[in-house]
């Protein structure tokens, strides 16, 4: 332990809080990427994204109760939310294409209430406690002090997922279609691609990422029907700060938002919301398109 | 040869002595030359409440180059867009290779062998030249093309358009206007279409390159690609075209073999505003 302090806080503590911020940020990145992909391609603001996050967490926790395997939950939660997302796009969102941005926004807003109420009815109002699985409990020395192993896992796992996603978008044929479709959906259709199938897949993918983030976040805080609400707000900040439709922007902004939240909560826990919105306002003033908006596209 | 054909037609690529394409697919070339490949009858199209196309009819036979000319705002672009399915409100009949396609989505037209080079080129920003080209054949993959075809097509196209060859890795949107136009055409040719709709390909391109481009169109025609062209450069268009339609006020006001219009400067002056 060193004796250096900044603003009364020992440097080591600040360092640990910084890593906590990165762990939080990893969650925001996963949620924000989905939101950003869906908006960037489909011009749909998915207000139910936080609800997918929450239901994903419940699915994972519920399944864990039965199987005792966190790894299974880690696969099942995104899978279930991906399938639910496919159904929602196909049945509810698709009829609204071509009717402006408001209609799908209102629809998903309503859907989020239905999902939250549904979970309240099925699992109760109070939520379920949930801790890290035994194999990921404990803490490891990261040089500046002991840090929860689960949070390190969370960071590493999320970054691996983001890396895989990046490869998928940059290196595969479908990724090429995604990048082109975000810029010019009409020309993509003229070149023989059925754009509605692309949109379906992207909505499913985005919701799967939300579900994955939900089960990853569950051990940090347990699960409650309302857990998706603040995450949605933070994910919106991430997409705006990073630049709508930008994968790299979402990653950068997610980490920044996570760190801002972690640092603010050290000083003034009640002010975290205000801090991130102040950050958003600041970025919008300086760069209205967000940090990496459009310049980097979906790259 | 594979037995499955989208439209039940037997591939004409061997029968008519043409060099078979890379992609095994039905080519233009019906039983009698009089059978149009594309038939547009009484086409109407609207943007919102504005009624733009008002009963436009035209036809293009296999292996023809047909040109649409007419003043600015006459409805030439709208005609091509409507044929491609890009104008939401449309009525009439569009028959391509024997199938009524008016109400089919754009991607289906691609799979029937119809390609489109829009007036604004629509090079996708953020993608390299090579990626734009790949985009032109991706959808044919599996059905008609393989990954190997993709690489071979890019190579073949790059030979035809040497300017693109040197710039495959460049971000496409940073190329000059003329180079972007070549890319737009090359992209449309990637999947070896039966017919191409070209909207003012010569716009903003220097004359010497325009001539080269039109020679290219004649070569495409010889290789069996049917072309429907919109062109302001009437003189050049007449040189390469078989037939010409003059569009005015959203319908056809005159049509004739190209030679006939060439000999009629009065009509040219009245409708073409050259
Ligand atoms: N998206 C649109 N919304 C409303 N009106 C449109 C739209 N696009 C074209 N128009 C109108 O339709 C008419 C025909 O336009 P079109 O682009 O087909 O003409 P054009 O013959 O291609 O002209 P040009 O030679 O200038 O390219 C014009 O009066 C134009 O103003
Ligand atoms: Mg035009």
């Amino acid at each position: 332990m060193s004796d250096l302090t900044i603003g009364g806080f020992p440097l080591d503590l600040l360092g640990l809080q910084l890593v906590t911020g990165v762990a939080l940020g990893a969650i925001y990145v996963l949620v924000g990427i989905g939101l950003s992909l869906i908006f960037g391609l489909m011009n749909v603001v998915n207000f139910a994204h936080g609800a997918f996050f929450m239901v994903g967490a419940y699915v994972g926790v519920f399944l864990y109760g039965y199987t005792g395997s966190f790894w299974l939950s880690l696969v099942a939660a995104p899978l279930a939310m991906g399938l639910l997302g496919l159904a929602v796009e196909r049945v509810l969102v698709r009829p609204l294409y071509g009717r402006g941005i408001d209609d799908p926004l209102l629809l998903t807003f309503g859907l989020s209430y239905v999902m939250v109420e549904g979970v309240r009815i099925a699992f109760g109002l109070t939520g379920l406690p949930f801790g890290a699985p035994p194999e990921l409990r404990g803490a490891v020395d990261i040089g500046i002090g002991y840090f929860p192993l689960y949070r390190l896992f969370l960071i590493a796992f999320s970054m691996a997922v983001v890396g895989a996603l990046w490869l998928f978008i940059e290196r595969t044929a479908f990724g090429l279609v995604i990048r082109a479709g975000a810029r010019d959906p009409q020309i993509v259709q003229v070149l023989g691609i059925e754009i509605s199938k692309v949109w379906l897949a992207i909505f499913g993918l985005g919701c799967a990422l939300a579900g994955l983030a939900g089960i990853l976040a569950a051990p940090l805080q347990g699960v409650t029907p309302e857990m998706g609400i603040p995450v949605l707000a933070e994910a919106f900040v991430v997409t705006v700060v990073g630049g709508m439709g930008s994968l790299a922007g979402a990653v950068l902004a997610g980490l920044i938002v996570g760190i801002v939240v972690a640092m603010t909560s050290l000083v003034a826990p009640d002010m975290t919301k205000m801090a991130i919105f102040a950050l958003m306002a600041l970025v919008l003033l300086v760069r209205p398109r967000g940090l990496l908006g459009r310049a980097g596209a979906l790259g | 040869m594979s037995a499955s054909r989208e439209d039940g037609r037997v591939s004409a690529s061997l029968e008519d002595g043409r060099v078979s394409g890379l992609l095994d697919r039905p080519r233009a070339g019906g039983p009698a030359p009089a059978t149009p490949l594309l038939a547009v009858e009484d086409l109407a199209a609207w943007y919102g409440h504005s009624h733009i196309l008002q009963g436009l009819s035209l036809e293009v036979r296999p292996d023809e180059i047909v040109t649409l000319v007419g003043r600015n705002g006459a409805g030439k672009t709208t005609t091509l867009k409507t044929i491609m399915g890009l104008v939401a409100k449309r009525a009439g009949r569009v028959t391509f290779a024997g199938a009524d396609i008016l109400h089919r989505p754009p991607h289906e037209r691609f799979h029937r062998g119809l390609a489109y080079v829009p007036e604004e080129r629509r090079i996708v920003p953020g993608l390299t030249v090579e990626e734009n080209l790949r985009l032109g054949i991706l959808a044919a993959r599996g059905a008609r093309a393989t990954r190997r075809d993709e690489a071979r097509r890019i190579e073949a196209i790059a030979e035809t358009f040497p300017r693109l060859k040197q710039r495959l890795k460049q971000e496409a949107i940073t190329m000059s206007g003329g180079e972007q136009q070549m890319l737009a055409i090359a992209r449309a040719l990637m999947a070896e279409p039966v017919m191409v709709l070209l909207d003012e390909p010569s716009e903003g391109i220097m004359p010497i390159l325009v001539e080269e481009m039109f020679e290219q169109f004649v070569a495409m025609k010889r290789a069996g690609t049917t072309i429907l062209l919109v062109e302001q450069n009437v003189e050049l268009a007449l040189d390469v075209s078989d037939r010409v339609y003059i569009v005015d006020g959203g319908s056809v006001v005159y049509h004739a073999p190209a030679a006939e219009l060439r000999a009629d400067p009065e009509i040219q002056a009245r409708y073409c505003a050259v």
Side-chain angles (χ1 to χ4, degrees):
Chain A
M1 278 290 201
S2 87
D3 304 327
L4 282 174
T5 63
I6 293 179
F9 295 102
L11 214 52
D12 293 348
L13 178 62
L14 290 175
L16 287 175
Q17 197 65 7
L18 192 76
V19 187
T20 299
V22 173
L24 272 181
I27 300 286
Y28 301 152
V29 168
L30 291 178
V31 182
I33 285 177
L35 205 58
S36 188
L37 271 177
I38 290 171
F39 181 80
L41 254 92
M42 308 163 66
N43 227 11
V44 167
V45 180
N46 182 18
F47 252 89
H49 216 66
F52 278 97
F53 170 86
M54 178 272 297
V55 176
Y58 268 91
V59 167
V61 169
F62 184 73
L63 217 71
Y64 184 77
Y66 268 93
T67 65
S69 163
F70 183 68
W71 310 106
L72 194 69
S73 294
L74 219 45
V75 174
L79 202 65
M81 288 311 96
L83 290 174
L84 185 60
L86 292 180
V88 165
E89 196 278 347
R90 187 69 191 80
V91 177
L92 299 175
V93 180
R94 187 172 295 187
L96 303 181
Y97 291 142
R99 288 178 40 180
I101 200 168
D102 304 349
D103 288 11
L105 188 150
L106 289 171
L107 175 103
T108 51
F109 189 58
L111 178 66
S112 71
Y113 277 94
V114 172
M115 289 167 75
V116 170
E117 285 307 322
V119 167
R120 283 183 181 144
I121 292 166
F123 295 98
L125 299 178
T126 48
L128 311 170
F130 189 64
E135 58 269 43
L136 293 173
R137 272 180 211 151
V140 277
D141 189 353
I142 57 170
I144 48 172
Y146 281 88
F147 194 75
L149 174 63
Y150 181 74
R151 291 184 188 186
L152 289 178
F153 162 77
L154 172 59
I155 294 169
F157 188 80
S158 307
M159 290 306 131
V161 169
V162 169
L165 207 59
W166 185 83
L167 281 177
F168 173 66
I169 289 177
E170 285 297 317
R171 295 276 186 272
T172 68
F174 192 75
L176 180 58
V177 171
I178 292 175
R179 284 180 290 147
R183 293 305 190 85
D184 192 341
Q186 207 174 57
I187 209 69
V188 164
Q189 282 173 279
V190 166
L191 295 174
I193 290 146
E194 196 174 349
I195 196 84
S196 54
K197 280 191 183 156
V198 179
W199 289 341
L200 177 69
I202 285 300
F203 201 86
L205 176 66
C207 293
L209 286 171
L212 177 66
I215 183 62
L216 281 172
L220 300 182
Q221 51 183 155
V223 296
T224 67
E226 296 79 24
M227 68 190 280
I229 296 166
V231 169
L232 180 68
E234 279 134 12
F236 273 129
V237 173
V238 166
T239 54
V240 172
V241 167
M244 282 285 185
S246 165
L247 184 67
V251 174
L252 182 65
L255 295 180
I256 293 175
V257 170
I259 289 168
V260 168
V261 167
M263 287 306 172
T264 314
S265 65
L266 198 62
V267 193
D270 299 337
M271 306 258 284
T272 55
K273 268 273 147 55
M274 212 164 94
I276 62 168
F277 283 112
L279 170 76
M280 181 169 85
L282 193 74
V283 170
L284 283 180
L285 279 176
V286 184
R287 282 186 71 96
R289 290 159 160 204
L291 295 176
L292 300 180
R294 270 309 167 228
L298 283 166
Chain B
M1 270 202 290
S2 123
S4 75
R5 292 284 173 236
E6 290 149 287
D7 56 1
R9 184 193 279 264
V10 177
S11 168
S13 55
L14 296 178
E15 285 89 321
D16 60 11
R18 242 189 261 126
V19 182
S20 167
L22 264 172
L23 310 176
D24 187 26
R25 53 169 319 171
R27 303 292 302 192
T35 313
L37 175 62
L38 174 78
V40 173
E41 290 163 67
D42 210 19
L43 191 65
W46 293 259
Y47 291 117
H49 291 295
S50 353
H51 189 174
I52 306 294
L53 296 187
Q54 322 208 357
L56 183 143
S57 301
L58 60 85
E59 56 181 56
V60 183
R61 294 171 210 137
D63 300 350
E64 266 191 322
I65 297 182
V66 169
T67 299
L68 301 184
V69 295
R71 282 190 274 251
N72 292 130
K76 307 178 296 293
T77 295
T78 308
T79 303
L80 295 195
K81 277 192 179 167
T82 311
I83 293 172
M84 210 54 209
L86 298 173
V87 177
K89 193 172 172 199
R90 50 192 195 259
R93 261 169 88 82
V94 175
T95 316
F96 181 70
D100 188 350
I101 58 166
L102 183 73
H103 294 292
R104 310 307 306 157
H107 69 91
E108 224 180 281
R109 289 155 213 249
F110 168 93
H111 292 288
R112 289 180 185 278
L114 196 53
Y116 172 52
V117 180
E119 198 173 6
E120 334 82 71
R121 295 161 190 167
R122 304 288 275 274
I123 297 308
V124 184
L127 304 190
T128 64
V129 172
E130 189 176 1
E131 285 172 328
N132 266 284
L133 289 174
R134 278 180 59 211
L135 203 58
I137 198 172
L138 268 188
R141 215 204 248 174
R144 300 187 324 233
T146 64
R147 218 176 224 289
R148 278 232 328 278
D149 289 332
E150 191 177 300
R152 269 191 291 173
R153 281 301 294 160
I154 289 181
E155 212 155 284
I157 288 279
E159 288 307 323
T160 320
F161 299 89
R163 280 164 172 272
L164 299 180
K165 191 178 185 173
Q166 301 152 15
R167 296 177 169 76
L168 286 176
K169 302 291 174 203
Q170 186 176 336
E171 192 183 334
I173 208 75
T174 63
M175 291 197 305
S176 80
E179 289 161 354
Q180 287 186 37
Q181 183 62 272
M182 283 171 206
L183 176 58
I185 296 171
R187 183 178 62 187
L189 297 180
M190 279 295 289
E192 303 200 304
V194 175
M195 177 170 179
V196 190
L197 314 176
L198 286 156
D199 200 346
E200 300 204 23
S202 72
E203 204 184 349
I205 296 185
M206 53 190 207
I208 177 133
L209 286 185
V210 171
E211 266 174 52
E212 225 171 83
M213 182 187 282
F214 275 62
E215 276 162 26
Q216 182 82 52
F217 295 159
V218 175
M220 279 160 59
K221 170 190 157 130
R222 282 209 203 94
T225 309
T226 307
I227 296 175
L228 178 57
L229 184 67
V230 168
E231 188 50 65
Q232 300 281 13
N233 190 336
V234 177
E235 214 165 300
L236 249 182
L238 287 177
D239 283 347
V240 300
S241 304
D242 297 291
R243 292 182 305 113
V244 180
Y245 288 84
I246 298 181
V247 178
D248 201 53
S251 64
V252 169
V253 293
Y254 173 96
H255 72 104
E260 206 169 291
L261 180 61
R262 202 182 297 126
D264 195 341
E266 199 246 327
I267 293 270
Q268 284 190 45
R270 184 157 9 132
Y271 292 111
C272 306
V274 263

